[in-house]
Amino acid sequence: MAILEIENLSAFYGKAQALDGVSFSVEEGEIVGVIGANGAGKSTLLDSIMGMTQTTGAIRLAGADLAGKTTAEIVKMGVGYAPERANLFPYMSVRDNLLVGAYTARDDIERNLEMVHDLFPRLKERSTQETGTQSGGERQMVSVGRALMTSPKLLMVDEPTIGLAPKVCLEIAEVLRRLNKDYGATIIITEQNVNFALTLAERLLVMETGRIRMSGTVEELRENPALTEAYFGH
Amino acid sequence: MLQIIIQGLLLSGLYALIAVGFTLIFSVGRVLNLAYGAYLMLGGYAFFYVSQTLGMPKLLGVVAAVAVGVIAGLMKHRFIVKPLKGDMVPVEIATLILAVVLQSAVVLMFGDSSKILHSIIPGVVQVGTVSVPYSNVFAMIVSWTVLIALYLFIRKTHLGRAMQAVSMDQKGAAISGVNPDHVNMMVWGISGGLGALGGVFFASYTQLYPAMWVAPLIIAVAVVIVGGIGSIIGTLIVAHIIGFMEVMTTSLIAPELRGVFTMALIIIVLVVSPKGLFGREEIH
């Protein structure tokens, strides 16, 4: 069953159009990678699903229309979001950051906290540290952890590897893979780092200037000369 | 000496209560609410009307004052802050004008002359050579209770954490399922209630008069600037510095200089340490 269906989605920041007629769907239990250069519209796509831009077209989560819903309502309906800049609460502890994530999912706190600590044992060790004093990798972990605390049906992770050391990228990739395999999470991940997306995702969407240029399984796109040229530098 | 300590403690507790409502709005809503003093005026007059004009029980007067403050805060959020989208300068101009308008309304309804509030609890307690009115002790106990409750509320509850979250990162709060608009509205209500409660006590300390919103506004600004906006502990400490400074000035130098040192302190701290002594803008 499709968890997320998007039809002819266009998004605007004031008068500037940032997305133009985007359509795709995400099936339950899959990892979809959205790749594209800076400014291609990846973050706008995720912001639009969260109701943070002006949009036309349809967005449905498990069949329910998201049009006109506030961001908070969309979170409650089941979309978890770890944005590119993390947007953590710098003077609050790791634990309190995670607990804010549980604002609409208070009955699931224990179970979700256990899952987050299982995936990121370091967050358990650092639970009293203020996130403003943490490293970039740890902040990324808190950000994904906070999104998981909302009990999402769909997890969206925006450029988790940006600015991180390769070793930390591998750690994050491993966690997202476990999240998918062990916990059955459905994940959309955006990346400029195509190799990172290729190792994780089963299906890719390639974005360019606010449109989906092509899409398909990783194998299909590997064969595609246009993509190979643009992203793998042959 | 004993007199200074007792009076200092009593006054400082009240100042902390007055300042904390002001600091909440700045941290969460990011606007200086220059009409904050008007909550104190409204609270004082609501108490006067219910308990002295209508002759109802004093406790009911306090409850009515807080209710009026909460409603005033909610209305200010709905009709000024929200339409202006929290844009700082227009909100500040609009709130300052509102305070003046409310002052005129109070003059129209209650007249220009100042009024003496009856003690909430009559009588005095003798501490050594100093006689302390029960009302002032009551004011301090209530102030401390409210401050501690507020601190625990902000630190330990989902709503309180949501308030901190909105003060630190609006987008982060929204994607955690917190509606920043709702939190803002709630904070305006709480702030109004705190201000009105402070107003009942403040008017009992001094007098009830239509221009009584100015002095507490200056105190609130001073506590917040010196303490660093957003810090409840900082607010508490600085309220005591200012409270004791005023009591010492009044009893040792001259009563006329009471507010002068407070204002001098504002300027000195602004020049030396613009973020305040405990400063950061988020609540914690």
Side-chain angles (χ1 to χ4, degrees):
Chain A
M1 185 188 116
I3 282 277
L4 181 75
E5 296 163 282
I6 291 184
E7 269 170 38
N8 203 20
L9 178 70
S10 295
F12 306 84
Y13 289 117
K15 281 182 180 165
Q17 184 163 6
L19 287 182
D20 184 7
V22 170
S23 299
F24 69 94
S25 62
V26 177
E27 301 297 316
E28 195 168 350
E30 72 173 341
I31 301 184
V32 172
V34 180
I35 61 176
N38 219 350
K42 303 186 300 293
S43 297
T44 306
L45 174 63
L46 301 192
D47 278 359
S48 301
I49 295 169
M50 295 310 297
M52 294 190 286
T53 61
Q54 296 224 298
T55 56
T56 60
I59 307 173
R60 280 186 298 272
L61 183 77
D65 195 357
L66 298 189
K69 297 271 192 288
T70 65
T71 303
E73 286 165 340
I74 291 169
V75 172
K76 188 164 187 179
M77 290 170 75
V79 187
Y81 187 22
E84 186 186 329
R85 289 176 204 286
N87 296 89
L88 297 179
F89 313 119
Y91 303 117
M92 291 167 81
S93 66
V94 169
R95 187 182 155 81
D96 280 351
N97 267 269
L98 295 176
L99 286 178
V100 174
Y103 191 73
T104 56
R106 297 177 198 183
D107 296 337
D108 305 340
I109 290 179
E110 268 176 45
R111 185 167 53 85
N112 286 338
L113 211 52
E114 207 170 291
M115 169 172 70
V116 171
H117 286 158
D118 171 43
L119 293 166
F120 302 109
R122 211 175 318 169
L123 295 188
K124 193 173 185 180
E125 293 159 24
R126 303 281 166 90
S127 69
T128 56
Q129 189 181 353
E130 289 187 356
T131 56
T133 64
Q134 288 191 300
S135 70
E138 285 166 350
R139 278 207 294 272
Q140 198 56 253
M141 294 175 195
V142 178
S143 173
V144 172
R146 185 182 62 185
L148 290 173
M149 293 299 290
T150 67
S151 292
K153 296 185 179 104
L154 168 70
L155 175 68
M156 308 197 299
V157 187
D158 195 11
E159 304 225 19
T161 64
I162 203 158
L164 298 184
K167 186 168 167 281
V168 185
C169 294
L170 288 177
E171 260 181 76
I172 302 245
E174 181 51 35
V175 166
L176 292 175
R177 203 172 289 126
R178 274 189 61 198
L179 201 52
N180 177 251
K181 292 261 179 312
D182 300 353
Y183 292 96
T186 310
I187 304 172
I188 299 181
I189 176 171
T190 70
E191 264 304 333
Q192 282 186 64
N193 180 344
V194 176
N195 284 320
F196 183 84
L198 284 173
T199 58
L200 264 180
E202 296 137 46
R203 221 149 51 78
L204 289 180
L205 306 171
V206 183
M207 289 191 73
E208 246 176 51
T209 59
R211 293 191 180 88
I212 293 184
R213 171 88 189 281
M214 44 191 138
S215 65
T217 63
V218 171
E219 289 72 31
E220 283 165 13
L221 289 183
R222 267 190 205 282
E223 310 286 306
N224 189 311
L227 183 78
T228 313
E229 197 178 319
Y231 291 99
F232 303 115
H234 289 298
Chain B
M1 189 60 201
L2 186 64
Q3 169 129 17
I4 289 179
I5 292 175
I6 291 173
Q7 285 190 346
L9 283 175
L10 293 173
L11 190 65
S12 305
L14 174 57
Y15 281 6
L17 176 69
I18 291 172
V20 81
F22 185 72
T23 202
L24 272 184
I25 289 293
F26 190 87
S27 307
V28 178
R30 291 297 152 110
V31 287
L32 282 178
N33 176 18
L34 295 179
Y36 182 70
Y39 294 139
L40 282 90
M41 178 184 68
L42 289 176
Y45 276 94
F47 175 77
F48 174 78
Y49 182 73
V50 171
S51 68
Q52 278 168 244
T53 310
L54 299 181
M56 312 255 260
K58 300 227 170 62
L59 200 61
L60 200 66
V62 176
V63 173
V66 173
V68 167
V70 170
I71 292 168
L74 293 176
M75 283 175 53
K76 222 184 303 181
H77 174 258
R78 176 65 191 81
F79 294 111
I80 296 180
V81 180
K82 222 177 146 192
L84 290 173
K85 298 193 171 74
D87 197 353
M88 199 152 180
V89 175
V91 169
E92 279 161 20
I93 295 170
T95 52
L96 192 57
I97 293 171
L98 181 69
V100 178
V101 171
L102 285 173
Q103 179 181 344
S104 308
V106 163
V107 172
L108 200 66
M109 287 169 68
F110 296 95
D112 216 352
S113 60
S114 59
K115 302 186 165 36
I116 307 283
L117 288 186
H118 299 162
S119 307
I120 297 178
I121 303 171
V124 291
V125 57
Q126 205 69 29
V127 183
T129 54
V130 190
S131 33
V132 186
Y134 276 127
S135 287
N136 294 3
V137 177
F138 176 72
M140 188 182 79
I141 292 171
V142 173
S143 299
W144 273 94
T145 309
V146 169
L147 286 169
I148 291 168
L150 187 68
Y151 182 79
L152 293 176
F153 171 72
I154 287 174
R155 285 301 182 99
K156 302 286 177 203
T157 67
H158 282 285
L159 260 177
R161 273 190 296 265
M163 278 164 60
Q164 292 185 64
V166 172
S167 84
M168 292 181 203
D169 195 310
Q170 291 237 8
K171 181 174 174 179
I175 61 170
S176 304
V178 176
N179 187 327
D181 245 12
H182 292 173
V183 168
N184 244 313
M185 187 182 77
M186 187 186 72
V187 171
W188 278 89
I190 292 176
S191 167
L194 290 171
L197 182 64
V200 175
F201 297 148
F202 190 78
S204 317
Y205 251 93
T206 55
Q207 284 176 337
L208 190 63
Y209 58 104
M212 65 172 273
W213 59 276
V214 181
L217 179 64
I218 291 173
I219 293 162
V221 170
V223 170
V224 161
I225 283 177
V226 178
I229 289 155
S231 163
I232 290 185
I233 305 281
T235 300
L236 206 56
I237 295 170
V238 177
H240 281 78
I241 295 175
I242 290 176
F244 272 92
M245 208 171 66
E246 286 199 1
V247 170
M248 283 194 276
T249 314
T250 312
S251 51
L252 302 179
I253 308 175
E256 292 77 16
L257 292 179
R258 181 179 189 146
V260 173
F261 283 94
T262 309
M263 288 187 250
L265 187 67
I266 297 183
I267 296 171
I268 292 168
V269 171
L270 275 178
V271 172
V272 177
S273 168
K275 282 210 121 184
L277 303 181
F278 305 87
R280 56 197 192 202
E281 292 182 343
E282 299 78 9
I283 48 172
H284 56 100

